[in-house]
């Protein structure tokens, strides 16, 4: 979409169920768009509780907003943010039934383009009020992707001049204006100048200057000591020395061995261009200049940054939470939305659905953790954005440790893995989810143990159980039983019974946060392994863990915060 940065997913905001149909139709136009709904009135992708706060939050973060409600409500909600002149994302009001589309704010970030797109989908006419846009059929101040307007204020003056009757000619290549209804004249005083050059001579002062993003800046050795600091400034200087505008820069390119360089990442952010890694651009494609350790390759037209080299690879290990979408943290959802490759145990990958078209899923058996971790690094070191999923929290008996182990093991062998950007996003672990359903059994000191002896000897498990039982810790058992490990849980419970009373509270949470969830409160003397399977979390209380009935249906279990 012209003027909109990729990655800023459209927020479609609804206040009631009556707007959902229209919201979903609009959602189908914009990849990654999400429907935000007032929690008390409507089921949606993202719930909010207070309209004004939520809208202001979206606006200040630069999120394009389509609000399905009266324009007045939107204006009043956003009004307090309008005084500070920051970036202005597109904001539109759309009638709940889809009968009216009103662009409100964001003329320079493509609001009218969006209004047209949405109106076309809803088969109505958009309520466009921008005079230049109406007269010329296009917003001259919002050139398409690959081009940047040099100066907004100058641009506004230029449009006023045209509206006042001046004519214009086009210098350079502006294919998107071929069909615009501009008042063109071969010898017009004013020109629309499409060029990477910065300087305007005095007689060009009234022209509209648009820069094609056609310059690739190649920086070698940014990761070397001593060159830190002002890489962005060096690029700016190099551009200036060659008469090129900063806005004509399309991409910062560096050799793959520098992929982990912070200096490069900072410079790309400061210059507001993508950072890519690859070979030095060959000079045959256009002119080439060098200065300040920067090579500038100027192409004949806009350069598509996504076709230059490749990005720094990224590997994010996320936890999906116990199962339901509302217990997945937003950072994990975000990582999933951005991912190109998703790796994990089949069942978990299915929990991460629905996936976007084009996302590759690599499901595998649950026991192949180290292979999966290595596979993830191989993909990420090729420049892909890879997400590895675990259920619950990825650091609790799950993939995060396997991923770090794979990296640690291969430090010498796989130098390319070191350049991969690595992040671990926490999730709600099964013990925490189960505890919350039951009350607060983990309210005081507790420990978590996996009863699986696949990767550790049973003797170690027994020793730990004895110590934990002796210490009167609340215990949360992960992997309590499986078909291959039928006796372990009974043995573990017997050990605990040596130290704790038969009346000790036990909570069994099965499929917590998933369809068919059950949470049962029982006691140490009554619990038996046939009540438990591999989808169950077992929480054994301490001597102080207690419970009470609030209504006859369920018991609230908690461990007090004090100890005696
Ligand atoms: N990383 C996961 C744990 C993986 S070990 C987490 O943090 O939750 C797998 C064990 O976790 C299962 O055998 C079961 O004991 C427990 N478990 C995972 N999800 C569960 C759920 N939704 N309900 C109950 N127990 C669950």
């Amino acid at each position: 979409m012209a003027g909109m940065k990729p990655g800023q997913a459209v927020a479609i905001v609804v206040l009631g169920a009556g707007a959902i149909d229209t919201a979903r139709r609009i959602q189908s136009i914009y990849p990654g768009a999400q429907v935000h709904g007032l929690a008390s009135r409507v089921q949606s992708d993202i719930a909010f509780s207070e309209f004004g706060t939520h809208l202001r939050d979206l606006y200040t973060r630069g999120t394009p907003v389509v609000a399905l409600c009266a324009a007045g409500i939107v204006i009043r909600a956003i009004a307090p943010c309008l005084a500070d002149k920051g970036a202005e994302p597109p904001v539109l009001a759309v009638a709940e039934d889809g009968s009216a589309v009103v662009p409100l704010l964001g003329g320079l970030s493509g609001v009218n383009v969006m209004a047209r797109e949405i109106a076309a989908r809803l088969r109505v006419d958009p309520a466009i009020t921008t005079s230049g846009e109406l007269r010329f059929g296009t917003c001259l101040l919002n050139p398409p992707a690959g081009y940047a307007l040099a100066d907004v204020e100058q641009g506004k003056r230029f449009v006023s001049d045209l509206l006042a009757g001046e004519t214009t000619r086009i210098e350079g290549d502006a294919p998107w204006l071929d069909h615009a209804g501009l008042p063109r004249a071969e010898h017009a005083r004013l020109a629309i100048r499409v060029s990477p050059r910065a300087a305007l001579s005095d007689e060009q002062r009234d022209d509209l200057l648009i820069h094609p993003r056609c310059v690739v800046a190649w920086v070698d050795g940014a990761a070397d000591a001593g060159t830190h600091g002002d890489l962005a400034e060096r690029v700016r200087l190099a551009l200036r020395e060659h008469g090129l505008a900063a806005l004509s820069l399309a991409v910062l390119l560096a050799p793959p061995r520098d992929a982990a360089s912070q200096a490069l990442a900072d410079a790309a952010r400061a210059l507001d261009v993508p950072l890519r890694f690859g070979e030095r651009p060959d000079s045959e494609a256009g002119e080439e200049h060098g200065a300040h350790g920067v090579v500038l390759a100027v192409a004949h037209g806009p350069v598509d940054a996504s076709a230059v080299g490749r990005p720094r690879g990224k590997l994010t290990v996320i936890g999906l939470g116990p199962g339901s979408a509302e217990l997945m943290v937003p950072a994990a959802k975000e990582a999933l939305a951005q991912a190109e490759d998703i790796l994990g145990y089949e069942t978990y990958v299915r929990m991460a659905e629905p996936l976007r078209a084009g996302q590759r899923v690599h499901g595998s058996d649950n026991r192949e953790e180290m292979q999966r971790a290595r596979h993830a690094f191989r993909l990420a070191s090729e420049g892909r954005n890879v997400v590895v999923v675990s259920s619950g929290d990825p650091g609790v008996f799950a993939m995060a440790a396997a991923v770090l182990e794979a990296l640690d093991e291969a430090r010498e062998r796989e130098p390319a893995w070191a350049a991969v950007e690595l992040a671990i996003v926490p999730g709600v672990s099964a013990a925490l989810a189960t505890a919350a359903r039951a009350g607060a059994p983990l309210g005081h000191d507790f420990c978590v143990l996996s009863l699986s002896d696949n990767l550790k000897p049973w003797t170690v498990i027994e020793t730990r159980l004895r110590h934990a039982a002796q210490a009167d810790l609340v215990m949360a058992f992960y992997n309590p039983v499986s078909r291959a490990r039928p006796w372990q849980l009974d043995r573990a419970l017997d050990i605990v019974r040596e130290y704790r009373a038969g009346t000790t509270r036990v909570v069994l949470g099965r499929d917590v946060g998933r369809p068919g969830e059950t949470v049962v409160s029982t006691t140490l003397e009554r619990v038996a392994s046939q009540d438990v399977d591999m989808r169950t979390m077992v929480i054994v209380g301490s001597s102080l863990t207690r419970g009470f009935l609030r209504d006859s249906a369920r018991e609230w279990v908690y461990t007090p915060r004090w100890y005696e």
Side-chain angles (χ1 to χ4, degrees), residues 27 62 109 112 119 125 161 185-186 189 217 235 308 313 327 425 432 451 459 505 522:
Q27 187 176 29
S109 49
N112 289 324
D125 286 325
D161 286 347
E186 206 180 327
R189 180 180 74 89
V235 174
V308 178
L327 291 182
V425 175
L432 306 184
L451 296 191
T459 49
R505 298 277 157 179
T522 175

Side-chain angles (χ1 to χ4, degrees), residues 321-323 348 351 366 390-399 427-434 450 477-481 485 509-514 518 533-538:
Y348 300 153
M351 272 162 62
N366 204 12
S390 284
S391 76
D393 179 89
V396 177
F397 309 121
M399 283 305 296
V428 176
S429 191
L432 306 184
T434 303
S450 168
F477 295 157
Y478 287 74
N479 300 310
V481 286
R485 296 180 289 106
R510 182 169 190 275
D511 279 338
V512 172
R514 301 177 190 163
T518 58
D533 64 8
M534 63 187 293
R535 282 145 64 183
T536 311
M537 164 79 347
V538 180

